[in-house]
């Protein structure tokens, strides 16, 4: 079906001239050349400037602002980036008629997705935003837009999933906090991280899936083999097995348990593999299990190649206590039925201020006493949030040290991932992750400001979440914390403010965008798990403090200092060799 409208009289446009035609929300530039009359969208796809002011030579239109060039016949861009929309034109009885009919969604959507993928590959944020907006306008669900970003990033992650996965997942979840077309804002942040991280990378080699029954004799034996392959860093074999299990139709819960078992064999990669596993399954909940091979396969190289932190000096003191205590994880899970109470004050103090042995003893004792794991995760989450409040912000902007905000944010995001893992798989293997979480929060006390106890500000009452957003934007850390502490308004509005602050352009480097989004999302989930604004205020305050704080985003100066140490024979970790 066509919709022809009169745009102008032929006599109104001289040869070599142009005219702007307005119809509803359309702005169409008309050009008359010796070969005929042409119509294109007046907005240059580069930055939206008017094409009616451009120059035409040999039916080639040049934007006056930035020299992009388009063929008038079909809108093809011959210099610049994307094409401009062209419209069919007919001249009847001296009138210029333009067919303004919009293409059917099923016709235009494939073209827009192809353009979106091209934009991701070129780190063209403007084009990504325009394509996403166009897709939204024709009714495309945001999950389908994110799916394309996932399909672009997954084959290109050279060493397995990185922050691209986590950011895409969290941004898709944060989009629910926005209204109308602005829902695409968080999604665009996620796509930008994928684009900037994976730009121009080739597809990584992937092993073909194997038949798990033919190779291992049974599905059960194959599932049990997966953690061993990861532990032995048999990357190719582990990925081939995982792909084979998916292809064989093994239930998602069984595959998930194999992954979580491998992850908690060690404290892997500063908690990243646990977080990525959570995000992968959350993503599959939204885009469908049929994408499992695409989404889950890149977890394998990330797991197998991740640092085993329990083999480093950091955890030795904690692990010595663990081994000497002969922890029986099966027995501790069985004791869950006892429902014993937890001394929250003592646990909180021990994890925040005690030694590694103290933290272990407090957790182990609580589990042996029958305290529920869910309650201990709650307590660990509150301790992690408190650690944010103690963090010495000056560390992050000091390039002469190795530590910063990102070393602390993982305590909360890892605990949030552990909460998910325990909810879906309350097993002895996942329980190991709680020991890792408690050690993590205890160990990061080294980043506390010395005067943290003196810096607690009085709550500043407000019921307007916009006040909190203003303080975050102003980088007023004290005011931000005080307002969250004194907040009495709608909890969802405060969650929305944190989501908006995370989705805005307050972070530049992809790694910072990723951690900003990830931390805000974890804080919101943890707050709700802890009982909403009344009992879950601590994670919200933690995320707000992080969002408001100044942060180091580029690491050139730090890398220069480290290079000088390197060539002068000073290595990292020299001081911990005997730990």
């Amino acid at each position: 079906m066509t919709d022809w409208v009169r745009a102008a009289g032929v006599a109104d446009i001289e040869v070599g001239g142009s005219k702007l035609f307005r119809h509803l929300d359309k702005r169409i530039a008309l050009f008359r050349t010796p070969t005929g009359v042409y119509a294109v969208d007046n907005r240059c796809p580069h930055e939206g400037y008017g094409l009616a002011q451009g120059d035409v030579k040999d039916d080639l239109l040049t934007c006056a602002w930035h020299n992009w060039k388009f063929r008038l016949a079909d809108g093809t861009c011959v210099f610049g980036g994307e094409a401009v929309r062209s419209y069919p034109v007919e001249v009847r009885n001296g009138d210029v008629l333009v067919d303004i009919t919009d293409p059917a969604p099923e016709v235009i959507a494939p073209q827009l997705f192809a353009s979106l993928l091209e934009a991701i590959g070129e780190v063209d944020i403007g084009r990504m935003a325009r394509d996403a907006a166009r897709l939204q306008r024709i009714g495309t669900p945001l999950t389908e837009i994110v799916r394309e970003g996932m399909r672009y990033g997954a084959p290109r992650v050279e060493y397995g999933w990185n922050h691209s996965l986590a950011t895409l997942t969290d941004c898709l979840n944060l989009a629910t906090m926005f209204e109308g077309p602005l829902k695409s804002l968080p999604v665009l942040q996620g796509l930008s991280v994928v684009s900037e991280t994976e730009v121009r990378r080739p597809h990584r080699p992937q092993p073909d899936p194997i038949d798990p029954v033919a190779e291992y004799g049974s599905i059960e034996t194959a599932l049990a083999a997966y953690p061993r392959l990861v532990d032995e860093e048999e990357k190719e074999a582990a990925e081939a097995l995982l792909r084979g299990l998916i292809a064989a139709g093994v239930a998602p819960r069984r595959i998930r348990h194999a992954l979580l078992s491998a992850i908690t064999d060690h404290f892997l990669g500063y908690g990243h593999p646990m977080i990525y596993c959570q995000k992968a399954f959350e993503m599959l909940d939204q885009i469908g299990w049929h994408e499992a091979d695409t989404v889950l396969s890149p977890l394998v190289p990330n797991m197998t190649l991740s640092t085993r932190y329990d083999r480093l000096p950091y955890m030795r003191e904690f692990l010595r206590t663990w081994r000497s205590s002969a922890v029986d994880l099966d027995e501790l899970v069985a004791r869950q039925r006892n429902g014993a109470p937890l001394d929250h004050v003592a646990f909180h103090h021990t994890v925040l201020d005690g030694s590694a042995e103290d933290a272990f003893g407090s957790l182990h004792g609580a589990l042996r006493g029958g305290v529920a794991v869910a309650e201990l995760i709650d307590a660990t989450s509150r301790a992690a949030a408190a650690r944010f409040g103690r963090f010495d912000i000056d560390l992050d902007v000091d390039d002469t040290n190795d530590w910063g905000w990102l070393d602390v944010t993982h305590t909360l995001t890892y605990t949030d991932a552990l909460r998910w893992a325990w909810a879906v798989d309350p097993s002895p293997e996942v329980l190991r992750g709680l020991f890792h979480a408690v050690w993590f929060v205890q160990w990061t006390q080294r980043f506390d400001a010395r005067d943290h106890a003196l810096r607690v500000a009085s709550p500043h009452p407000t019921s307007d979440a916009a006040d909190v957003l203003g303080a975050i934007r102003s980088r007023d850390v004290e005011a931000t914390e005080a307002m969250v502490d004194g907040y009495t308004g709608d909890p969802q509005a405060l969650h929305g403010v944190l989501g908006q602050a995370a989705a805005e352009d307050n972070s530049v480097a992809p790694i910072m965008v990723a951690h900003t989004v990830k931390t805000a999302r974890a804080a919101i989930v943890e707050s709700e798990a802890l009982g909403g604004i009344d009992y879950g205020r601590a994670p919200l305050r933690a995320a707000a403090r992080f969002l408001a704080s100044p942060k180091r985003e580029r690491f050139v100066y730090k890398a220069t200092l480290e290079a000088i140490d390197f060539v002068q024979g000073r290595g990292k970790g020299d001081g911990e060799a005997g730990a």
Side-chain angles (χ1 to χ4, degrees), residues 255-285:
I255 292 175
R256 185 177 56 212
H257 178 73
L259 293 171
L260 290 171
S261 298
I263 288 168
T264 59
D265 270 342
H266 300 276
F267 184 53
L268 281 180
Y270 212 72
H272 285 100
M274 174 72 86
I275 295 167
Y276 295 162
C277 187
Q278 172 198 19
K279 303 307 179 186
F281 279 89
E282 286 183 355
M283 177 62 72
L284 289 171
D285 286 341

Side-chain angles (χ1 to χ4, degrees), residues 498-522:
L498 295 182
Q500 183 171 346
E504 291 180 350
D505 293 329
N506 296 314
S507 297
V508 178
I511 190 172
M512 293 304 300
V513 176
H515 282 83
T516 297
V517 168
K518 186 168 59 173
T519 301
R521 172 66 183 163

Side-chain angles (χ1 to χ4, degrees), residues 294-306:
T294 299
V295 176
L296 297 182
S297 293
L299 291 175
V300 181
N302 173 263
M303 288 182 194
T304 55
L305 299 174
S306 282

